[in-house]
Amino acid sequence: MIIFNKKIFGFALAMFLTLGLLAACGDDGDGDTEGDTGGDGEGAEGDFESQQWRFVTEEVEGQVQYVYAEEFADRMYEKTDGAVEIDVYEFGGLGSETDQVDQLMQGTVEMAIMSPGFTGDMVDEGQLFALHFLFPDDIATTQDILNNSEALNTDLRERYEEHNISPLAFWTEGAMQWTSNDHPLTSPDEFENFQMRVQTSPLIMESYEAYGANPQDMSWGELYTALDRGTVDGQENPIFFIGDASFHEVQDYLTLASHNNYVAMTTVNTEWYEGLDDDLRALVDETTEELQDWVFEEQDRQNEEFLTAIEEDTDNPTEIVELTEEERDVFREIAMDVREFYRNEVSGVGGEILDKLEEEIAEHE
Ligand code: 6CS
């Protein structure tokens, strides 16, 4: 409860301060104005013009997306001898997750960590990440596919670029697990009429409707209270997020289902990125690539750490139940029908990107 209150207070304060500052003629909070973005010829450092970028994340201080953005900022600062300064914004500082998508599209921010689950109404194909049991259970293999997939890094990227968003990299934040009250979620029967909180993707909703649940989309900023009040019965997330956002405090069960992988994207405003000097764009690409291994280690560390923290939190006991392979197979079978639904009803390209991705996954297996 203490963690939650501190974080919510942090969001509110950051939002208040930042929106006020943005409203005041684009000042980013340290005396520079928006006009600095892209360089003004003054204050050149080494080979690069001084510039200030904004990097917004969907998570708060200490969480995986936020520490990723901090690390990215530090490395760019060093590589450019201090010419590129990146202001990192935690979740809430610039509004909700969907507000952040708009801000990146419009170029109000240059960079964002984005979850495809919040772009479902915009890029139909991006919803393929909502498909359960698509990626291998082995998370390192999944990351390898995310790094090398042409379906994702070329074909899907082009779909996002139609909206002025370039995903430069896809990376996992860990396997997703379910939390609930009253009973663990070991079979579709237990999802019957279950109020399941989901992100805003129609295909995520379809996936849970297929299990018999009533999905409700909402921002995670409202989720602790919604779980506490019983507005929703449960939710899905990687373990580090469940622990750090303290959802386990207001839930009785953690069901280890690993039914999906939480995939995040490092994204940039396409027009801005293409307008960067070649040398600088190469540094952005290089840093993004370097961080793929770094963030894999980070999510692994945080997921381990928070599993132990949840297990040891005797003030807020959580029963942890791991699904057997037979139990997972029952969910898997239902999820395969949702894959067909995606192909026929959701994908604007007849499932072509998914077909290619499935071939790439099969090659890895
Ligand atoms: O459940 C969510 O919406 C949040 N989960 C994670 C792991 N990151 C940010 C996202 O908004």
Side-chain angles (χ1 to χ4, degrees):
M1 192 65 179
I2 291 162
I3 298 170
F4 166 74
N5 285 337
K6 212 169 69 186
K7 286 187 189 309
I8 291 297
F9 178 72
F11 300 159
L13 186 63
M15 172 115 74
F16 175 75
L17 291 174
T18 309
L19 292 179
L21 289 167
L22 286 176
C25 70
D27 192 336
D28 54 34
D30 60 6
D32 295 328
T33 61
E34 263 186 84
D36 289 335
T37 308
D40 57 11
E42 284 174 19
E45 304 268 357
D47 294 338
F48 300 101
E49 298 294 331
S50 295
Q51 47 202 292
Q52 197 115 17
W53 304 344
R54 296 190 176 102
F55 196 159
V56 67
T57 78
E58 298 166 334
E59 296 176 5
V60 295
E61 230 179 303
Q63 294 178 342
V64 178
Q65 292 187 10
Y66 189 85
V67 293
Y68 174 101
E70 278 186 323
E71 183 69 22
F72 194 100
D74 287 348
R75 291 189 188 209
M76 284 301 294
Y77 187 81
E78 265 178 39
K79 289 176 191 195
T80 61
D81 291 327
V84 170
E85 282 185 61
I86 302 179
D87 294 326
V88 175
Y89 291 90
E90 64 178 352
F91 171 70
L94 297 180
S96 71
E97 300 94 336
T98 45
D99 293 333
Q100 294 175 185
V101 175
D102 287 342
Q103 285 151 8
L104 187 73
M105 259 171 28
Q106 285 156 19
T108 322
V109 299
E110 288 78 18
M111 302 190 67
I113 304 295
M114 198 175 280
S115 301
F118 292 110
T119 62
D121 291 330
M122 189 175 81
V123 181
D124 292 334
E125 281 70 33
Q127 294 190 60
L128 58 79
F129 292 107
L131 296 169
H132 295 184
F133 303 100
L134 174 61
F135 289 99
D137 290 340
D138 180 60
I139 198 154
T141 309
T142 291
Q143 185 57 59
D144 202 31
I145 293 165
L146 296 175
N147 289 346
N148 296 306
S149 161
E150 190 181 290
L152 301 178
N153 293 288
T154 303
D155 303 350
L156 184 60
R157 176 170 168 163
E158 279 169 15
R159 294 276 143 184
Y160 275 92
E161 285 178 341
E162 290 166 11
H163 301 271
N164 209 17
I165 291 175
S166 294
L168 301 183
F170 300 86
W171 38 273
T172 180
E173 291 195 60
M176 295 242 260
Q177 319 299 354
W178 293 317
T179 63
S180 56
N181 280 331
D182 303 330
H183 53 77
L185 295 164
T186 57
S187 77
D189 290 348
E190 284 153 344
F191 269 106
E192 207 53 50
N193 299 320
F194 188 86
Q195 308 294 319
M196 181 75 176
R197 176 272 171 173
V198 293
Q199 296 181 342
T200 53
S201 158
L203 197 67
I204 302 182
M205 295 209 156
E206 184 70 27
S207 295
Y208 283 102
E209 275 165 9
Y211 296 154
N214 297 329
Q216 290 183 36
D217 65 322
M218 69 176 64
S219 165
W220 82 260
E222 297 160 32
L223 185 51
Y224 182 100
T225 308
L227 291 168
D228 196 22
R229 292 189 180 154
T231 317
V232 289
D233 299 320
Q235 59 86 44
E236 60 173 359
N237 253 309
I239 291 171
F240 87 87
F241 199 76
I242 293 168
D244 196 58
S246 308
F247 297 149
H248 70 288
E249 289 181 1
V250 283
Q251 295 271 266
D252 300 330
Y253 292 94
L254 170 63
T255 303
L256 302 181
S258 298
H259 56 287
N260 201 356
N261 241 276
Y262 195 101
V263 174
M265 307 184 289
T266 303
T267 57
V268 292
N269 174 278
T270 307
E271 224 171 280
W272 167 81
Y273 170 75
E274 288 177 352
L276 288 175
D277 288 347
D278 290 349
D279 291 355
L280 200 48
R281 198 170 48 250
L283 283 189
V284 170
D285 290 344
E286 178 191 277
T287 308
T288 306
E289 203 178 320
E290 284 168 11
L291 286 188
Q292 289 296 85
D293 286 346
W294 185 92
V295 75
F296 185 79
E297 297 300 322
E298 181 62 23
Q299 65 77 29
D300 191 47
R301 189 187 66 73
Q302 291 207 19
N303 279 308
E304 289 281 329
E305 179 188 318
F306 277 100
L307 179 58
T308 308
I310 293 171
E311 282 167 346
E312 291 178 355
D313 186 357
T314 44
D315 290 341
N316 302 286
T318 306
E319 193 170 326
I320 302 176
V321 176
E322 184 164 9
L323 294 191
T324 63
E325 275 316 305
E326 291 70 34
E327 286 166 338
R328 293 180 83 226
D329 282 346
V330 177
F331 287 109
R332 194 191 311 269
E333 203 179 317
I334 298 172
M336 291 312 285
D337 293 339
V338 180
R339 219 176 277 196
E340 280 323 295
F341 176 85
Y342 167 86
R343 277 200 172 82
N344 301 327
E345 308 289 335
V346 177
S347 166
V349 289
E352 272 174 30
I353 297 179
L354 176 61
D355 292 344
K356 193 165 169 177
L357 179 61
E358 281 181 334
E359 279 169 31
E360 292 167 342
I361 292 170
E363 278 164 27
H364 270 78
E365 285 173 329

